Amino acid sequence: MIKQAVIVAGGLGSRFGDKTKLMPKGFIEIEGVPMVERSVQKLIQAGIEEIIIGTGHCSEYYDKLAEKYHVIKTVRNDNYANTSSMGTLEVCVPYIKGDFLLLESDLIYDSVGLKVLQNDSHSNVILASGKSNSHDEVYLAADENCVLLNVSKNKECIPNPAGELVGISKISKSCLDKMMEYYKSSPDLIKLDYESALCEASIHQGENVYVHKVEYYAWSEIDDESMLHRALTQIWPRIKENEEIHSIRREVLLNPGPATTSDSVKYAQVQSDICPRESEFGDLMEWCATELTRLVADPEEYTTVMFGCSGTGADEAMVSSVVPEDGKVLVIDNGSYGNRMAKMAAVHKLDFDVFESSTYEPIDLNKLEEVLKSKKYTHLVGVYHETTTGLLNPIKEICSLAKKYGLVTIFDAVSAYAGIPMDLKDIGVDFISSTSNKNIQGMAGIGFVICKKSALEATKNIPIRNFYLNLWAQYEYFQKTHQTRFTPPVQTFYALRQAIIETKVETVEKRAERYTACWKILVECVKKLGLEMLVKEENQSHLITAILEPKSPRYSFEKLHNFAKKEQFTIYPGKLGNINTFRIANIGDIQPEEMKVFCNHLETFMSVLSSGDELNLKK
Ligand SMILES: *Cc1c(COP(=O)(O)O)cnc(C)c1O
């Protein structure tokens, strides 16, 4: 799996004249977005974890871009004026850890080219196209096995080209080393470009560099005004059309998980078959676990244990694994999920009491403390965000009370994790659960528990009362083997990896802001329509809103659901015994503009409801 990309962007771009005097060429905009930024977005969508940009001329533009995309690392080639792309690649070398993609900065291209290189089984591959008629062609010569033999701008040197150089290549670490060795072998090579070094590595250094030609590939280098014009009028429309063909019909899920996912997360599942006991897959799982931990804690002190299961599975893993035989548990129940935790405690025959509290009003912390004082509890179980109602429990206050009485703290954070910034150490929580399909915005299938390592260690001698879901066994086995004990959901892991990359790019803080922006639009609409919310605004999570059903006798949840569904919005009924609500969640890959569209539909629905007209449910 290719994890890094390098963009060589040191050049002066002098063929553009004044336009690029004060700006790098990569920042020329295509429909309002700099072409290098479009390239960065495509690389992220293709699963690249880190993008190293070798800069030079006007490097501050790239440093600024790196502030916007945390996956970018910039390295400046101070000698950019006297060197060429090898000089810029050279400054990037210390940061290149393995096989990588190498790109030029002044390209527009169809992202399928990245897939072609990622899927090619060879480790050194140059992407090539058929005739571009760009008048700036770089021709590639290759032997009958497609191994690179020569690179030249001069057609006469290459009478029967194997293709034209696009400017996107896949390069192995060993090939890079040989390219560098050659580059440094003589001061005369100071202005060497990377394609010539690749050619040298292929011909004389025993690295087979393959030319992979895609005949009608949509791409363009943009070196001057006429190329820009040609790119905008002829190439860009083709790239956009291809992207449209590959986009998946949008359904916006306003149910509380599984949440809406990006197309890149959906596509990340499509990978070569792999046995999950291969070390490559172990590395992938290990990376996921570490990054999941890092979002909320220091991986030195906390660890993530993963299972193939839903969020409830992760809850059950905690409840059934961490309480010793003589432990005594207090379970806070103020909604369906707290209630579910109590049921698990009962099934696993724990010694436990339930602290019941209103499903829509904040917990009375004084009362909770009274109870904690009254008996010798060892463990406290609670729910951070009660998805039943959208009530957010004050986890930090609850945990500090529990810690005051020496309890181990266990929280279901399934629908809070990655949607609300949190620091487990600061909160004082020992175990939290979540799942791949909520705010982390991946596919359903992986439940995980983030554990304080010392608290997890303390469970290792507890007589086992579960089998598949045992936290310690799963942790210990993974530490030893880099494997899960039983078959993991392989494709869901690839999607989770992509979802984590996208979460890191967005950041949890910004994600929480986006969710809140969606929630505000909804709340405003609900108030305007005279509908009532179950939970007071100040106690809500901003992630889901429980709305009391309209009083009109003509209302039914099914009608509203079907009306919204035909507009590609999926909503969810309420879950409280005697109070009828419908719930609108705003987690997942959704934008405020989409929430506005949904609100317009809700307004239409409500006005039809009061006017007495029939709802037109046909599309
Ligand atoms: C979604 C959710 C769960 C888990 O539900 P599954 O259907 O098992 O994934 C658990 N707790 C809370 C608070 C949730 O919102």
Side-chain angles (χ1 to χ4, degrees), residues 256-257 310-313 315 337 340 383 385-387 412-415 435 437-438:
S310 82
T312 305
D315 282 341
Y337 292 100
R340 191 182 286 178
V383 175
H385 170 220
E386 252 305 346
T387 325
D412 165 324
V414 176
S415 63
T435 160
N437 63 262
K438 290 203 178 175

Side-chain angles (χ1 to χ4, degrees), residues 2-10 36 39-40 43 48 50-55 84-93 96 98-107 109 113-114 117-118 123-128 148 165-173 175-177 179-180 192-199 201 209 217 219:
I2 304 284
K3 296 174 181 167
Q4 288 183 306
V6 176
I7 300 177
V8 279
V36 73
S39 185
V40 164
L43 289 166
I48 296 296
E50 189 185 26
I51 301 167
I52 301 161
I53 305 186
T55 68
S84 185
S85 52
M86 273 311 276
T88 304
L89 184 56
E90 185 181 16
V91 299
C92 300
V93 168
I96 301 173
D99 300 358
F100 65 102
L101 296 179
L102 179 64
L103 293 94
E104 297 172 25
S105 65
D106 52 355
L107 288 177
Y109 58 90
L114 303 176
L117 293 184
Q118 286 170 320
S123 26
N124 301 309
V125 188
I126 296 188
L127 185 64
L148 180 68
L165 177 85
V166 169
I168 309 176
S169 309
K170 180 170 78 170
I171 299 174
S172 67
K173 190 81 170 76
C175 183
L176 174 69
D177 291 343
M179 289 163 74
M180 280 301 149
L192 190 74
D193 49 41
Y194 77 90
E195 58 266 33
S196 303
L198 259 176
C199 199
V209 178
Y217 187 54
W219 73 281

